[in-house]
């Protein structure tokens, strides 16, 4: 994908996040942060809180997911992009997503520090289902 298109996609998902909000009675939820990524809009670092409703199937499938957060464009855009891909996907598949999956979702290679930003929503999801 063209770098300009990637920047535009990430900026759009950061400014207009999909699945943004909080479910009132989620099956699982978790908050996580990345204090190393600070900026003028997020002086305490990136933060993501995720709430999820799961199906009764075995393995459970994500029926609904919402997130809230603040942070860099990459952390917020990736949370939005991942939330779209999570819906209808078995939990067992999502917990296996890795850095290659994240790079495919955002359309670019990620340095270790940028990977930490991009993986924040995935880390929150994994922790949420582990706590279940």
């Amino acid at each position: 994908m063209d770098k300009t298109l990637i920047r535009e996609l990430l900026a759009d998902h950061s400014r207009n996040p999909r699945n943004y909000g909080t479910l009132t009675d989620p099956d699982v939820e978790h908050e996580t942060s990345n204090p190393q990524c600070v900026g003028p809009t997020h002086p305490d670092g990136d933060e993501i809180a995720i709430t999820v409703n799961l199906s009764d199937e075995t393995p459970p499938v994500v029926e609904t997911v919402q997130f809230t957060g603040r942070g860099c464009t990459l952390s917020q855009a990736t949370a939005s992009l991942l939330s779209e891909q999570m819906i209808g996907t078995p939990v067992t598949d999502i917990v296996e997503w890795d850095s290659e999956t994240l790079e495919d979702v955002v359309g670019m290679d990620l340095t270790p520090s940028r990977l930490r930003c991009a993986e924040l929503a995935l880390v929150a999801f994994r922790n949420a289902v582990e706590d279940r």
Side-chain angles (χ1 to χ4, degrees):
M1 188 182 282
D2 176 293
K3 285 185 181 186
T4 301
L5 280 173
I6 292 168
R7 279 194 296 271
E8 288 174 10
L9 174 72
L10 295 176
D12 179 54
H13 273 270
S14 180
R15 284 190 303 266
N16 306 297
R18 284 51 156 195
N19 302 305
Y20 195 85
T22 304
L23 297 173
T24 55
D25 191 22
D27 295 321
V28 296
E29 60 187 311
H30 193 81
E31 291 181 41
T32 193
S33 65
N34 173 14
Q36 283 76 36
C37 185
V38 296
T41 61
H42 51 288
D44 296 324
D46 295 337
E47 297 174 354
I48 295 285
I50 193 166
T51 54
V52 183
N53 283 331
L54 303 170
S55 72
D56 292 331
E57 300 171 48
T58 303
V61 171
V62 173
E63 290 183 338
T64 312
V65 60
Q66 289 195 313
F67 77 95
T68 58
R70 64 181 183 177
C72 70
T73 297
L74 184 59
S75 72
Q76 302 307 298
T78 306
S80 176
L81 289 159
L82 285 176
S83 72
E84 289 185 317
Q85 292 200 3
M86 287 177 179
I87 296 170
T89 304
V91 169
T92 52
D93 291 354
I94 297 169
V95 297
E96 296 297 321
W97 291 352
D98 58 13
S99 60
E100 286 183 33
T101 305
L102 292 171
E103 288 177 341
D104 287 344
V105 167
V106 299
M108 65 179 160
D109 293 336
L110 298 168
T111 63
S113 63
R114 300 308 284 157
L115 178 60
R116 179 70 180 120
C117 298
E119 72 182 356
L120 205 55
L122 184 55
V123 168
F125 180 86
R126 285 179 181 149
N127 288 333
V129 296
E130 260 181 35
D131 294 345
R132 184 172 186 215

